[in-house]
């Protein structure tokens, strides 16, 4: 015996033409001009006369807003806008800068410039100080170094997570300023 499959309304199907179930709608013409409030049947006839589709733009408005357009073109424009919006968004990554607490001045400056580059690109920076052997006894020196780094980068970044010890490492998280 075949299992029963529950029928669910398909949310991907756009609300156009006969699928518009509202008694009255506000209609916008293909040129963008407001045609006024009318019954959905009248709006369908108007769209049929122009050989175009009646597309529901906003069902949240009172009355709902429909537009007379070529649905193929409308769908293409929506996809194009979504693609542009996706292209413009930036995913924030966490970049790591590793060092030891006994770091030389030049090496420290290199780490600072790396962190600056990451922050200017809009990424977060995780500054990590690694300990080996008995170096873990000097975690206070590592904390001083991380605080120095935070003050050196204070014009570009804000400390999101203060220096914190995690096992054989001490880390601090900084995010770019808005």
């Amino acid at each position: 015996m075949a299992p029963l499959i529950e029928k669910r309304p398909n949310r991907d199907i756009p609300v156009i033409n006969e699928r518009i179930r509202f008694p009255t709608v506000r209609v916008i013409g293909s040129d963008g001009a407001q045609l006024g409030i009318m019954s959905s049947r009248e709006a369908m006839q108007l769209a049929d006369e122009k050989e175009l589709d009646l597309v529901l733009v906003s069902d949240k408005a009172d009355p709902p807003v429909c537009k007379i357009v070529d649905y193929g073109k409308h769908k293409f424009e929506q996809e194009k806008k979504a693609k542009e919006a996706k292209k413009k968004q930036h995913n924030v990554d966490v970049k790591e800068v590793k060092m030891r607490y006994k770091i030389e001045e030049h090496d420290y400056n290199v780490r600072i410039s790396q962190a600056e580059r990451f922050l200017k690109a809009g990424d977060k920076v995780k500054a990590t100080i690694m300990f080996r052997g008995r170096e873990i006894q000097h975690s206070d020196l590592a904390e001083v170094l991380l605080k120095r780094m935070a003050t050196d980068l204070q014009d570009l970044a804000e400390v999101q997570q203060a220096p914190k010890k995690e096992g054989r490492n001490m880390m601090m998280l900084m995010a770019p300023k808005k």
Side-chain angles (χ1 to χ4, degrees):
M1 183 162 190
L4 292 172
I5 299 173
E6 187 181 313
K7 288 252 181 182
R8 287 185 293 160
N10 192 345
R11 302 218 185 276
D12 298 339
I13 297 174
V15 183
I16 58 171
N17 300 333
E18 290 82 24
R19 292 197 193 101
I20 298 173
R21 299 270 185 235
F22 299 100
T24 59
V25 291
R26 180 179 304 276
V27 181
I28 299 172
S30 55
D31 56 348
Q34 292 233 7
L35 303 178
I37 297 171
M38 58 183 77
S39 74
S40 54
R41 210 174 270 149
E42 289 175 52
M44 265 301 305
Q45 288 172 351
L46 209 62
D48 283 341
E49 288 170 13
K50 296 181 180 182
E51 294 182 3
L52 295 171
D53 300 304
L54 186 67
V55 179
L56 182 67
V57 178
S58 171
D59 58 349
K60 305 282 187 265
D62 187 37
V65 180
C66 293
K67 194 170 185 179
I68 297 175
V69 289
D70 178 9
Y71 179 68
K73 279 185 182 177
H74 176 73
K75 186 177 177 187
F76 176 74
E77 291 296 323
Q78 299 293 68
E79 289 171 358
K80 198 172 172 183
K81 283 180 188 174
K83 197 173 182 182
E84 282 297 316
K86 189 176 180 185
K87 202 182 283 185
K88 288 179 183 172
Q89 83 182 37
H90 172 75
N91 292 338
V92 177
D93 294 330
V94 177
K95 304 282 188 169
E96 189 170 20
V97 177
K98 287 186 173 184
M99 56 190 149
R100 306 268 302 282
Y101 79 93
K102 292 191 263 186
I103 193 168
E104 292 292 325
E105 192 59 34
H106 176 264
D107 294 331
Y108 173 77
N109 292 334
V110 169
R111 297 302 182 279
I112 289 290
S113 63
Q114 283 177 336
E116 282 177 355
R117 190 176 70 234
F118 296 148
L119 290 165
K120 285 177 182 171
D123 297 321
K124 292 181 180 182
V125 174
K126 178 180 176 182
T128 306
I129 296 181
M130 302 167 296
F131 300 109
R132 286 194 193 142
R134 294 188 206 145
E135 289 179 352
I136 203 146
Q137 297 169 346
H138 302 290
S139 58
D140 54 332
L141 295 174
E143 192 170 343
V144 168
L145 183 65
L146 286 174
K147 286 181 178 174
R148 175 181 165 202
M149 185 178 210
T151 54
D152 289 348
L153 294 170
Q154 70 184 359
D155 55 326
L156 286 174
E158 54 192 30
V159 177
Q160 210 170 37
Q161 184 179 340
K164 180 174 107 180
K165 208 163 152 184
E166 287 184 359
R168 293 201 149 274
N169 296 326
M170 183 174 275
M171 50 100 31
M172 173 179 71
L173 192 66
M174 293 179 289
K177 280 190 175 173
K178 300 283 182 226

